[in-house]
Amino acid sequence: MSLYIKRLKVIASTMDGDYGVDIPFEKGLFILRVENSHGKSTCMNAIAYALGMEKSLGQKNSKLPFPPSLTKSIDNKDGIEIGVLSSRVYLELENSKGEVVTLLRHIVGGDGETIIHMANGELDMFSLNPKVSLFLHKEGDTTRERGFYYWVGKFVGWVIPNIPLYNGKDAPLYPATFFPTYYVEQKKGWSSIQATTPQVFNIRDPKKRAVEFILNLDVNDIIIKRAKLKTAIEEVNTAWIVNYKKAEVISNRISGKLTGLMDKPESKFDQYRVDFSINENDRWESVQSLITGLKEKQLRMLISGERKNEIEDENIEVLKKIEERQRSINEIGEKNSEVSSEISFVEHQITATEKRISSLAEDRRKYEDLKKVGESNIFNGDDIGEGNCPTCSQSYSDNLLDSSTNESLMSVDQSLNYIKEQIKTFSSALVNSKSQYEYKKAEYSKNLVSLVELRKGLNGLNRSVRNTSESIIEDKLREKIQLENKIESYTDAVCELFKLRLKFDELHTKYTDLIAKRRKMPESYLSEIDNKKLNYLQTLLRGYLKEYGFSSFSADKLEISKDNYLPTREGFDIGFDTSASDGVRIIWSYLLSLFSLSLKFETNHPNLLMFDEPRQQEANKVSFSSLLKSVSKACGEKGQIILATSEEVSVLRDSLVEEKYTLKVFEKNDGKILRKLHS
Amino acid sequence: MKIEELINRPFTFKRRDVLIPCEFRPMWKSCLIIVIFGITAKKNKCSLKKLHTASWLVKSDEHLSDFIKWAEKKVLVTPDVRFDPSIDKAVDLLVGNRILIKAEGKLEITELGMEKFKGIEAVGVFVEEMHRLNVSNKFLSEASVERLLRAN
């Protein structure tokens, strides 16, 4: 897997003809020597721009990464300004299979914002060869056939993995995310490792994901495996919820409450405990035992009906019944209004508890952050963590709202424990309230149904108060039918539940299997080969640092963190406690180590490394020529390292005696690098 | 036990340590201000008004969405920005520690402050806050903050 830059051509068309620069590159170490502010960064940025990586140049807005000479106007030989009509950049590339392509991207006056044109073959043949338009910065640019990043991945030989986003979804890793692992930009690139990694793609830990991909760590596979497992578990969860809802619908139909079943799968589950309970005479009873009771009642009714055919004093009987029904209607109505107010109280309680839990969780996150900050060495030696006023040295409390108070506050650890306990308490209260809510709801709807039934009966009795014997028969009949209906609907519900139980049982088996698999996944995400790679990276880094005269502390104290794959010292990120020049040495050595690692292990590194030397006022902190030692060796036959520098030619030659390299010099006397092109 | 027995015994009160929301811890607030400067400051500078607005903005997703809808002119209702007095105290503390300096009516983060910001970034904390700031950064210009506060 490799990417080799063969030729760059930048053109600005003006009324006075074409201006621009044409640079043929070579494999191995390639040094582009240009005077400061003469167009060095323009060339380097043009490479990034042609590769569609301008978002990785550390610019906050979407401004073009070019000076006015390519976007507005250019000075000619005599110093007269000429307006730029259009400008574009051509880039000739080669991959590990030896395929050569040329890319064209317009800068001004064209479709450069979203389109890159690609043709097979060399740059000189570009206008003759058939072209393909590839789109970028639009949805699908990493996944669709005509997406530019999709094409780049295919051309270099990358299998772009899917990685998790902030919103919980996942998406392909944007190549712009790992561009800073092989390209260092001039202005911001030297402030820290991968300083210009774009944050706009909503990717969680983009820098970490970038190194994982570049080193081809198995972590990626494990993350993907975990993600698959997670999706499978989620599928089971969804199926469970669907069936749970079905069971709930059935239980609502018979005004009951589902018991013995949680709304999501748990480790313990017994299908025989799943049942409906129904509130009968203020007691919650299982539907199974209710059916038995109802059947007994039905039988008793049949027997009494046969025995008693004669009716005495029917009128009184009917009136008694009316009175009785009226009383029960009143009772149930009163009870239901009580239940309804209880429901609204429980509802309010649930919302309040949920709100409380979410605010506690938010506070817990903040305290965890605070604890991490406290454990790091960021504020070591400052007064902020000490509780003393930096001006008058008086002590103040750890509460910004009232700094003079003598009230003793909980420590951070105490607060965290306290908050965790509170969350536990409130969560269990929430579970209780929710189940209480369900019970009340079921009771309410059951009462409503019985109210309707009672009113129907009452109407019938009232209507036929005169025709008593008939009405009593009718009443008996209605009671009988109601009983039959009830038995039927309960039995139906039990039958349906039986089917659902089998489904739940099947889902539960699946769920326990998946959970067991998840438990078997390795604790650490890193595989054995990953650890080997990281250890070798550490050896390489220490070696390079020693060679380049790293002096802030002993290079042997540096370690590659297994957490974020960056160099750390005693578990702390470095970059704050090193000198500025050592900062540059670390970035240089780290990226070079990533590059060199690909010679020994299978990685995704494109075997290409591009450095744009820092601006002059910062550059004198470290001599770049000293960093060149061993670079050409590291480069070997396989890769390409491009360095844009303003170091004196003689210094460069001296430091690279007996080494293989290509030096392209643009003399200061010839003016800026963008010159009139002679066609 | 009889009530007399209880009352006649000597008893003491013990003052318990108090829990305060993490936001009011000087260290947390200081880090937040450094993060706000690190992400939203133009040329390392930021006005107090913008600082207050950004601090209100990162408090919740509702604040963020209210602000973005207003900035994109999707709604006409101007969100109510609440000024948090603890910000001013934390700013004083940061100025005392030479992490911020007061310059030309604005606050400016020093090199030391930017180093602290990088430190905070590297530890991987304030993730939610940074995310909210990154999302809203393009709308958080001094001019739009001024417009937002004037509309209130």
Side-chain angles (χ1 to χ4, degrees), chain A residues 60 166 202 363 365-367 369-370 372 378-379 382-384 390 396 398 400-401 408-410 414-415 573 576, chain B residues 17-20 22-29 31 39 89 93-94 97 116 119 122 125-129 131:
Chain A
K60 274 188 182 169
Y166 268 111
N202 258 336
D363 216 22
R365 180 182 66 79
K366 288 177 181 169
Y367 266 113
D369 281 359
L370 187 63
K372 275 192 201 165
I378 304 173
F379 288 98
D382 283 312
D383 291 324
I384 290 190
Y396 60 87
D398 210 14
L400 276 175
L401 278 193
S408 62
L409 301 175
M410 284 189 188
Q414 277 174 335
S415 308
D573 216 65
F576 330 110
Chain B
D17 292 346
V18 185
L19 173 83
I20 57 160
C22 190
E23 289 195 349
F24 298 129
R25 301 269 182 185
M27 178 75 104
W28 194 89
K29 208 59 153 194
C31 288
I39 294 178
K89 289 194 181 173
L93 210 56
L94 288 170
N97 278 295
K116 308 272 177 210
V125 288
F126 286 81
V127 179
E128 293 273 327
E129 284 78 11
H131 177 60

Short mmCIF file of all heavy atoms in Angstrom, two decimals, chain A residues 60 166 202 363 365-367 369-370 372 378-379 382-384 390 396 398 400-401 408-410 414-415 573 576, chain B residues 17-20 22-29 31 39 89 93-94 97 116 119 122 125-129 131:
data_model
loop_
_atom_site.label_atom_id
_atom_site.label_comp_id
_atom_site.label_asym_id
_atom_site.label_seq_id
_atom_site.Cartn_x
_atom_site.Cartn_y
_atom_site.Cartn_z
N LYS A 60 -9.99 27.30 10.47
CA LYS A 60 -11.28 27.19 11.15
C LYS A 60 -12.42 27.31 10.16
O LYS A 60 -13.41 26.62 10.24
CB LYS A 60 -11.41 28.27 12.22
CG LYS A 60 -10.79 27.80 13.52
CD LYS A 60 -11.09 28.75 14.63
CE LYS A 60 -10.40 28.27 15.90
NZ LYS A 60 -10.42 29.25 16.95
N TYR A 166 -20.47 10.78 17.40
CA TYR A 166 -21.02 11.32 18.65
C TYR A 166 -22.49 10.98 18.81
O TYR A 166 -22.97 10.77 19.90
CB TYR A 166 -20.86 12.84 18.68
CG TYR A 166 -19.59 13.27 19.33
CD1 TYR A 166 -18.58 13.86 18.61
CD2 TYR A 166 -19.41 13.07 20.70
CE1 TYR A 166 -17.40 14.24 19.22
CE2 TYR A 166 -18.25 13.44 21.31
CZ TYR A 166 -17.25 14.03 20.58
OH TYR A 166 -16.09 14.39 21.18
N ASN A 202 -17.85 15.02 13.51
CA ASN A 202 -18.62 14.40 14.59
C ASN A 202 -18.08 13.06 15.03
O ASN A 202 -18.81 12.23 15.57
CB ASN A 202 -20.07 14.17 14.11
CG ASN A 202 -20.96 15.22 14.69
OD1 ASN A 202 -20.63 15.79 15.74
ND2 ASN A 202 -22.06 15.50 14.05
N ASP A 363 -24.11 16.17 36.66
CA ASP A 363 -23.17 16.62 37.69
C ASP A 363 -22.08 15.58 37.90
O ASP A 363 -20.92 15.92 38.11
CB ASP A 363 -23.93 16.87 39.00
CG ASP A 363 -23.35 18.06 39.76
OD1 ASP A 363 -22.70 18.89 39.11
OD2 ASP A 363 -23.54 18.13 40.98
N ARG A 365 -20.89 13.57 35.63
CA ARG A 365 -19.94 13.70 34.51
C ARG A 365 -18.96 14.84 34.78
O ARG A 365 -17.76 14.71 34.59
CB ARG A 365 -20.71 13.97 33.21
CG ARG A 365 -19.82 14.11 32.00
CD ARG A 365 -20.63 14.41 30.75
NE ARG A 365 -21.29 15.71 30.78
CZ ARG A 365 -20.67 16.85 30.52
NH1 ARG A 365 -19.39 16.86 30.22
NH2 ARG A 365 -21.31 17.99 30.58
N LYS A 366 -19.51 15.95 35.27
CA LYS A 366 -18.65 17.10 35.52
C LYS A 366 -17.63 16.79 36.62
O LYS A 366 -16.46 17.13 36.50
CB LYS A 366 -19.49 18.32 35.89
CG LYS A 366 -20.24 18.86 34.69
CD LYS A 366 -21.13 20.01 35.05
CE LYS A 366 -21.88 20.50 33.81
NZ LYS A 366 -22.93 21.43 34.15
N TYR A 367 -18.09 16.14 37.68
CA TYR A 367 -17.16 15.80 38.75
C TYR A 367 -16.09 14.83 38.27
O TYR A 367 -14.94 14.90 38.68
CB TYR A 367 -17.91 15.23 39.96
CG TYR A 367 -18.26 16.30 40.98
CD1 TYR A 367 -19.56 16.68 41.23
CD2 TYR A 367 -17.25 16.95 41.68
CE1 TYR A 367 -19.88 17.67 42.13
CE2 TYR A 367 -17.56 17.95 42.60
CZ TYR A 367 -18.86 18.30 42.83
OH TYR A 367 -19.14 19.28 43.72
N ASP A 369 -14.89 14.69 35.25
CA ASP A 369 -13.94 15.53 34.50
C ASP A 369 -13.00 16.24 35.45
O ASP A 369 -11.79 16.26 35.26
CB ASP A 369 -14.70 16.59 33.68
CG ASP A 369 -15.27 16.00 32.40
OD1 ASP A 369 -15.05 14.80 32.19
OD2 ASP A 369 -15.94 16.73 31.65
N LEU A 370 -13.60 16.81 36.51
CA LEU A 370 -12.81 17.57 37.47
C LEU A 370 -11.76 16.69 38.12
O LEU A 370 -10.61 17.08 38.31
CB LEU A 370 -13.74 18.16 38.53
CG LEU A 370 -13.11 19.11 39.52
CD1 LEU A 370 -12.58 20.34 38.81
CD2 LEU A 370 -14.11 19.55 40.57
N LYS A 372 -10.39 14.01 36.84
CA LYS A 372 -9.32 13.73 35.86
C LYS A 372 -8.37 14.91 35.76
O LYS A 372 -7.16 14.74 35.70
CB LYS A 372 -9.93 13.44 34.48
CG LYS A 372 -10.34 12.02 34.29
CD LYS A 372 -10.64 11.77 32.82
CE LYS A 372 -11.51 10.58 32.63
NZ LYS A 372 -12.10 10.51 31.31
N ILE A 378 -1.88 19.31 34.83
CA ILE A 378 -2.10 20.54 34.07
C ILE A 378 -1.90 21.77 34.94
O ILE A 378 -1.27 22.74 34.54
CB ILE A 378 -3.53 20.57 33.49
CG1 ILE A 378 -3.77 19.34 32.64
CG2 ILE A 378 -3.74 21.82 32.66
CD1 ILE A 378 -5.19 19.18 32.17
N PHE A 379 -2.46 21.73 36.16
CA PHE A 379 -2.40 22.94 36.98
C PHE A 379 -1.36 22.85 38.09
O PHE A 379 -1.44 23.56 39.07
CB PHE A 379 -3.79 23.25 37.56
CG PHE A 379 -4.74 23.74 36.53
CD1 PHE A 379 -5.65 22.89 35.94
CD2 PHE A 379 -4.70 25.06 36.09
CE1 PHE A 379 -6.51 23.34 34.95
CE2 PHE A 379 -5.56 25.51 35.11
CZ PHE A 379 -6.46 24.66 34.55
N ASP A 382 0.20 25.95 40.06
CA ASP A 382 -0.65 27.14 39.97
C ASP A 382 -1.43 27.31 41.26
O ASP A 382 -1.57 26.38 42.05
CB ASP A 382 -1.66 26.98 38.82
CG ASP A 382 -1.01 27.21 37.50
OD1 ASP A 382 -0.29 28.21 37.38
OD2 ASP A 382 -1.20 26.38 36.60
N ASP A 383 -1.98 28.52 41.42
CA ASP A 383 -2.73 28.76 42.65
C ASP A 383 -4.17 28.27 42.54
O ASP A 383 -4.85 28.13 43.54
CB ASP A 383 -2.75 30.27 42.96
CG ASP A 383 -1.37 30.72 43.36
OD1 ASP A 383 -0.69 29.93 44.03
OD2 ASP A 383 -0.98 31.84 43.00
N ILE A 384 -4.60 27.99 41.30
CA ILE A 384 -6.02 27.65 41.12
C ILE A 384 -6.43 26.44 41.95
O ILE A 384 -7.45 26.43 42.61
CB ILE A 384 -6.32 27.41 39.63
CG1 ILE A 384 -6.23 28.72 38.92
CG2 ILE A 384 -7.69 26.79 39.44
CD1 ILE A 384 -6.71 28.72 37.51
N PRO A 390 -4.35 34.38 44.32
CA PRO A 390 -3.04 34.62 43.71
C PRO A 390 -2.51 36.03 44.02
O PRO A 390 -1.30 36.27 43.94
CB PRO A 390 -3.30 34.45 42.22
CG PRO A 390 -4.76 34.61 42.05
CD PRO A 390 -5.40 34.17 43.32
N TYR A 396 -9.47 30.90 50.10
CA TYR A 396 -10.89 31.03 49.80
C TYR A 396 -11.47 29.62 49.68
O TYR A 396 -10.73 28.66 49.50
CB TYR A 396 -11.11 31.81 48.50
CG TYR A 396 -10.47 31.20 47.29
CD1 TYR A 396 -11.13 30.24 46.54
CD2 TYR A 396 -9.20 31.58 46.88
CE1 TYR A 396 -10.56 29.67 45.44
CE2 TYR A 396 -8.60 31.02 45.77
CZ TYR A 396 -9.27 30.05 45.05
OH TYR A 396 -8.70 29.48 43.97
N ASP A 398 -13.90 26.43 48.27
CA ASP A 398 -13.99 25.81 46.95
C ASP A 398 -15.37 26.03 46.33
O ASP A 398 -15.85 25.22 45.59
CB ASP A 398 -13.71 24.31 47.10
CG ASP A 398 -13.07 23.73 45.86
OD1 ASP A 398 -12.62 24.53 45.02
OD2 ASP A 398 -13.03 22.50 45.72
N LEU A 400 -17.53 28.92 44.29
CA LEU A 400 -17.44 30.23 43.64
C LEU A 400 -18.58 31.16 44.04
O LEU A 400 -18.45 32.37 43.97
CB LEU A 400 -17.47 30.05 42.12
CG LEU A 400 -16.14 29.74 41.44
CD1 LEU A 400 -16.38 29.48 39.98
CD2 LEU A 400 -15.15 30.87 41.61
N LEU A 401 -19.71 30.57 44.45
CA LEU A 401 -20.86 31.41 44.77
C LEU A 401 -20.63 32.18 46.06
O LEU A 401 -21.11 33.28 46.24
CB LEU A 401 -22.11 30.55 44.89
CG LEU A 401 -22.78 30.21 43.58
CD1 LEU A 401 -24.16 29.65 43.85
CD2 LEU A 401 -22.88 31.42 42.67
N SER A 408 -18.13 23.69 55.53
CA SER A 408 -17.18 22.72 54.99
C SER A 408 -17.85 21.96 53.85
O SER A 408 -18.97 21.48 53.96
CB SER A 408 -16.71 21.77 56.08
OG SER A 408 -17.81 21.08 56.57
N LEU A 409 -17.12 21.89 52.72
CA LEU A 409 -17.68 21.29 51.51
C LEU A 409 -17.16 19.87 51.37
O LEU A 409 -16.11 19.52 51.89
CB LEU A 409 -17.24 22.09 50.29
CG LEU A 409 -17.65 23.55 50.27
CD1 LEU A 409 -17.05 24.25 49.06
CD2 LEU A 409 -19.16 23.67 50.22
N MET A 410 -17.92 19.08 50.60
CA MET A 410 -17.45 17.71 50.32
C MET A 410 -16.25 17.79 49.39
O MET A 410 -16.19 18.66 48.53
CB MET A 410 -18.56 16.94 49.60
CG MET A 410 -19.65 16.50 50.49
SD MET A 410 -20.72 15.40 49.55
CE MET A 410 -22.05 15.21 50.70
N GLN A 414 -15.67 12.60 47.62
CA GLN A 414 -16.90 12.44 48.43
C GLN A 414 -18.12 12.80 47.59
O GLN A 414 -19.12 12.10 47.61
CB GLN A 414 -16.84 13.38 49.64
CG GLN A 414 -16.06 12.82 50.80
CD GLN A 414 -15.93 13.85 51.91
OE1 GLN A 414 -15.99 15.06 51.66
NE2 GLN A 414 -15.70 13.39 53.11
N SER A 415 -18.00 13.93 46.85
CA SER A 415 -19.14 14.36 46.04
C SER A 415 -19.52 13.29 45.04
O SER A 415 -20.69 12.98 44.84
CB SER A 415 -18.82 15.64 45.27
OG SER A 415 -18.33 16.61 46.12
N ASP A 573 0.53 13.01 29.33
CA ASP A 573 0.82 13.45 27.98
C ASP A 573 1.94 14.46 28.02
O ASP A 573 1.96 15.33 28.88
CB ASP A 573 -0.44 14.14 27.46
CG ASP A 573 -0.63 13.85 26.01
OD1 ASP A 573 -0.85 12.68 25.70
OD2 ASP A 573 -0.52 14.79 25.21
N PHE A 576 3.65 19.69 27.21
CA PHE A 576 3.62 20.90 28.04
C PHE A 576 4.95 21.08 28.75
O PHE A 576 5.38 22.16 29.04
CB PHE A 576 2.53 20.83 29.09
CG PHE A 576 1.39 20.01 28.65
CD1 PHE A 576 1.14 18.79 29.22
CD2 PHE A 576 0.60 20.46 27.61
CE1 PHE A 576 0.10 18.03 28.78
CE2 PHE A 576 -0.44 19.70 27.18
CZ PHE A 576 -0.70 18.48 27.77
N ASP B 17 -20.63 17.66 55.74
CA ASP B 17 -20.08 18.36 54.58
C ASP B 17 -21.17 18.58 53.55
O ASP B 17 -22.06 17.75 53.40
CB ASP B 17 -18.96 17.53 53.95
CG ASP B 17 -17.76 17.45 54.87
OD1 ASP B 17 -17.73 18.25 55.82
OD2 ASP B 17 -16.89 16.61 54.65
N VAL B 18 -21.09 19.71 52.88
CA VAL B 18 -22.16 20.08 51.95
C VAL B 18 -21.74 19.75 50.51
O VAL B 18 -20.58 19.91 50.15
CB VAL B 18 -22.43 21.59 52.04
CG1 VAL B 18 -23.62 21.97 51.18
CG2 VAL B 18 -22.70 21.96 53.48
N LEU B 19 -22.73 19.28 49.74
CA LEU B 19 -22.46 19.03 48.32
C LEU B 19 -22.82 20.28 47.54
O LEU B 19 -23.90 20.84 47.72
CB LEU B 19 -23.33 17.87 47.83
CG LEU B 19 -23.27 17.61 46.33
CD1 LEU B 19 -22.07 16.76 45.96
CD2 LEU B 19 -24.54 16.92 45.84
N ILE B 20 -21.91 20.74 46.67
CA ILE B 20 -22.29 21.84 45.78
C ILE B 20 -22.20 21.34 44.34
O ILE B 20 -21.42 20.44 44.05
CB ILE B 20 -21.40 23.09 45.97
CG1 ILE B 20 -19.93 22.74 45.76
CG2 ILE B 20 -21.63 23.74 47.30
CD1 ILE B 20 -19.07 23.94 45.46
N CYS B 22 -21.00 20.85 40.72
CA CYS B 22 -19.61 20.90 40.26
C CYS B 22 -19.30 22.22 39.56
O CYS B 22 -18.18 22.71 39.61
CB CYS B 22 -19.37 19.74 39.32
SG CYS B 22 -17.67 19.52 38.91
N GLU B 23 -20.33 22.79 38.91
CA GLU B 23 -20.14 24.04 38.17
C GLU B 23 -19.55 25.15 39.02
O GLU B 23 -18.92 26.06 38.51
CB GLU B 23 -21.48 24.57 37.72
CG GLU B 23 -22.11 23.79 36.65
CD GLU B 23 -23.23 24.60 36.04
OE1 GLU B 23 -23.61 25.65 36.61
OE2 GLU B 23 -23.67 24.19 35.02
N PHE B 24 -19.82 25.09 40.33
CA PHE B 24 -19.36 26.19 41.18
C PHE B 24 -17.99 25.95 41.78
O PHE B 24 -17.51 26.73 42.58
CB PHE B 24 -20.40 26.46 42.28
CG PHE B 24 -21.72 26.89 41.72
CD1 PHE B 24 -22.89 26.27 42.11
CD2 PHE B 24 -21.77 27.88 40.76
CE1 PHE B 24 -24.10 26.65 41.55
CE2 PHE B 24 -22.98 28.26 40.21
CZ PHE B 24 -24.16 27.65 40.59
N ARG B 25 -17.36 24.85 41.40
CA ARG B 25 -15.98 24.63 41.84
C ARG B 25 -15.07 25.53 40.98
O ARG B 25 -15.17 25.51 39.75
CB ARG B 25 -15.58 23.17 41.61
CG ARG B 25 -16.46 22.18 42.33
CD ARG B 25 -15.91 21.87 43.68
NE ARG B 25 -16.74 20.86 44.35
CZ ARG B 25 -16.54 20.47 45.59
NH1 ARG B 25 -15.55 20.97 46.30
NH2 ARG B 25 -17.32 19.56 46.13
N PRO B 26 -14.18 26.29 41.63
CA PRO B 26 -13.33 27.21 40.87
C PRO B 26 -12.53 26.51 39.77
O PRO B 26 -12.40 27.01 38.66
CB PRO B 26 -12.38 27.78 41.92
CG PRO B 26 -13.01 27.50 43.21
CD PRO B 26 -13.94 26.36 43.06
N MET B 27 -12.03 25.31 40.08
CA MET B 27 -11.20 24.60 39.10
C MET B 27 -12.01 24.24 37.87
O MET B 27 -11.57 24.41 36.74
CB MET B 27 -10.66 23.33 39.77
CG MET B 27 -9.83 22.48 38.88
SD MET B 27 -8.22 23.16 38.63
CE MET B 27 -7.29 22.10 39.68
N TRP B 28 -13.24 23.76 38.08
CA TRP B 28 -14.06 23.35 36.94
C TRP B 28 -14.39 24.55 36.07
O TRP B 28 -14.26 24.52 34.85
CB TRP B 28 -15.35 22.67 37.43
CG TRP B 28 -16.06 21.94 36.34
CD1 TRP B 28 -15.87 20.65 35.97
CD2 TRP B 28 -17.04 22.47 35.44
NE1 TRP B 28 -16.66 20.33 34.90
CE2 TRP B 28 -17.40 21.42 34.55
CE3 TRP B 28 -17.67 23.71 35.27
CZ2 TRP B 28 -18.34 21.58 33.54
CZ3 TRP B 28 -18.60 23.86 34.27
CH2 TRP B 28 -18.93 22.81 33.42
N LYS B 29 -14.81 25.63 36.75
CA LYS B 29 -15.20 26.83 36.00
C LYS B 29 -14.00 27.38 35.24
O LYS B 29 -14.11 27.81 34.10
CB LYS B 29 -15.72 27.87 37.01
CG LYS B 29 -16.73 28.84 36.46
CD LYS B 29 -17.93 28.17 35.93
CE LYS B 29 -19.18 28.97 35.97
NZ LYS B 29 -20.36 28.17 35.74
N CYS B 31 -11.42 25.76 34.09
CA CYS B 31 -11.16 24.91 32.93
C CYS B 31 -12.15 25.24 31.82
O CYS B 31 -11.78 25.33 30.65
CB CYS B 31 -11.30 23.44 33.29
SG CYS B 31 -9.97 22.85 34.29
N ILE B 39 -11.38 27.36 22.11
CA ILE B 39 -12.15 27.00 20.92
C ILE B 39 -12.71 28.22 20.20
O ILE B 39 -12.66 28.30 18.98
CB ILE B 39 -13.27 26.01 21.29
CG1 ILE B 39 -12.64 24.70 21.74
CG2 ILE B 39 -14.20 25.75 20.10
CD1 ILE B 39 -13.62 23.65 22.17
N LYS B 89 -16.05 35.66 38.92
CA LYS B 89 -15.08 35.33 39.98
C LYS B 89 -13.97 34.46 39.41
O LYS B 89 -12.79 34.64 39.72
CB LYS B 89 -15.78 34.61 41.12
CG LYS B 89 -16.68 35.53 41.89
CD LYS B 89 -17.11 34.93 43.19
CE LYS B 89 -18.03 35.89 43.92
NZ LYS B 89 -18.62 35.31 45.10
N LEU B 93 -9.83 35.03 39.09
CA LEU B 93 -8.86 34.04 39.53
C LEU B 93 -7.86 33.74 38.40
O LEU B 93 -6.64 33.66 38.63
CB LEU B 93 -9.63 32.77 39.88
CG LEU B 93 -9.06 31.86 40.93
CD1 LEU B 93 -8.86 32.64 42.20
CD2 LEU B 93 -10.04 30.73 41.18
N LEU B 94 -8.38 33.62 37.18
CA LEU B 94 -7.52 33.31 36.04
C LEU B 94 -6.61 34.48 35.72
O LEU B 94 -5.45 34.28 35.34
CB LEU B 94 -8.38 32.95 34.82
CG LEU B 94 -9.08 31.60 34.92
CD1 LEU B 94 -10.09 31.45 33.80
CD2 LEU B 94 -8.08 30.46 34.84
N ASN B 97 -3.82 34.46 38.03
CA ASN B 97 -2.84 33.41 37.74
C ASN B 97 -2.13 33.60 36.40
O ASN B 97 -1.47 32.68 35.91
CB ASN B 97 -3.52 32.04 37.76
CG ASN B 97 -3.67 31.53 39.17
OD1 ASN B 97 -2.69 31.27 39.84
ND2 ASN B 97 -4.90 31.44 39.64
N LYS B 116 -2.45 25.27 28.89
CA LYS B 116 -3.42 24.58 29.76
C LYS B 116 -4.54 23.99 28.90
O LYS B 116 -5.01 22.89 29.15
CB LYS B 116 -4.05 25.54 30.77
CG LYS B 116 -3.06 26.33 31.55
CD LYS B 116 -2.63 25.61 32.80
CE LYS B 116 -1.58 26.42 33.52
NZ LYS B 116 -0.63 25.65 34.26
N GLY B 119 -3.49 20.90 27.42
CA GLY B 119 -3.47 19.89 28.47
C GLY B 119 -4.85 19.30 28.68
O GLY B 119 -5.03 18.09 28.73
N ALA B 122 -5.84 17.09 25.90
CA ALA B 122 -5.14 15.81 25.87
C ALA B 122 -5.70 14.84 26.91
O ALA B 122 -5.71 13.63 26.69
CB ALA B 122 -3.66 16.03 26.12
N VAL B 125 -11.14 15.42 28.71
CA VAL B 125 -12.30 15.80 29.53
C VAL B 125 -13.07 16.93 28.84
O VAL B 125 -12.67 17.38 27.78
CB VAL B 125 -11.85 16.25 30.94
CG1 VAL B 125 -11.38 15.08 31.73
CG2 VAL B 125 -10.77 17.29 30.85
N PHE B 126 -14.19 17.35 29.43
CA PHE B 126 -15.03 18.42 28.88
C PHE B 126 -15.48 18.09 27.46
O PHE B 126 -15.58 18.97 26.61
CB PHE B 126 -14.28 19.76 28.92
CG PHE B 126 -14.17 20.33 30.30
CD1 PHE B 126 -13.19 19.88 31.17
CD2 PHE B 126 -15.06 21.28 30.73
CE1 PHE B 126 -13.12 20.37 32.46
CE2 PHE B 126 -14.99 21.79 32.01
CZ PHE B 126 -14.01 21.34 32.88
N VAL B 127 -15.71 16.81 27.21
CA VAL B 127 -16.02 16.38 25.85
C VAL B 127 -17.33 17.00 25.36
O VAL B 127 -17.41 17.55 24.27
CB VAL B 127 -16.11 14.84 25.80
CG1 VAL B 127 -16.45 14.37 24.43
CG2 VAL B 127 -14.78 14.25 26.24
N GLU B 128 -18.37 16.92 26.22
CA GLU B 128 -19.68 17.47 25.84
C GLU B 128 -19.55 18.97 25.56
O GLU B 128 -20.05 19.48 24.56
CB GLU B 128 -20.68 17.30 26.99
CG GLU B 128 -21.04 15.87 27.28
CD GLU B 128 -22.19 15.40 26.44
OE1 GLU B 128 -23.06 16.22 26.14
OE2 GLU B 128 -22.19 14.21 26.06
N GLU B 129 -18.86 19.66 26.48
CA GLU B 129 -18.75 21.11 26.36
C GLU B 129 -18.03 21.47 25.07
O GLU B 129 -18.45 22.35 24.33
CB GLU B 129 -18.00 21.69 27.57
CG GLU B 129 -18.81 21.79 28.85
CD GLU B 129 -18.97 20.47 29.58
OE1 GLU B 129 -18.28 19.49 29.20
OE2 GLU B 129 -19.80 20.39 30.51
N HIS B 131 -17.77 19.70 22.40
CA HIS B 131 -18.60 19.38 21.25
C HIS B 131 -19.61 20.50 21.01
O HIS B 131 -19.77 20.97 19.89
CB HIS B 131 -19.31 18.06 21.50
CG HIS B 131 -20.25 17.69 20.40
ND1 HIS B 131 -19.83 17.52 19.10
CD2 HIS B 131 -21.58 17.49 20.39
CE1 HIS B 131 -20.87 17.22 18.35
NE2 HIS B 131 -21.94 17.20 19.11
#
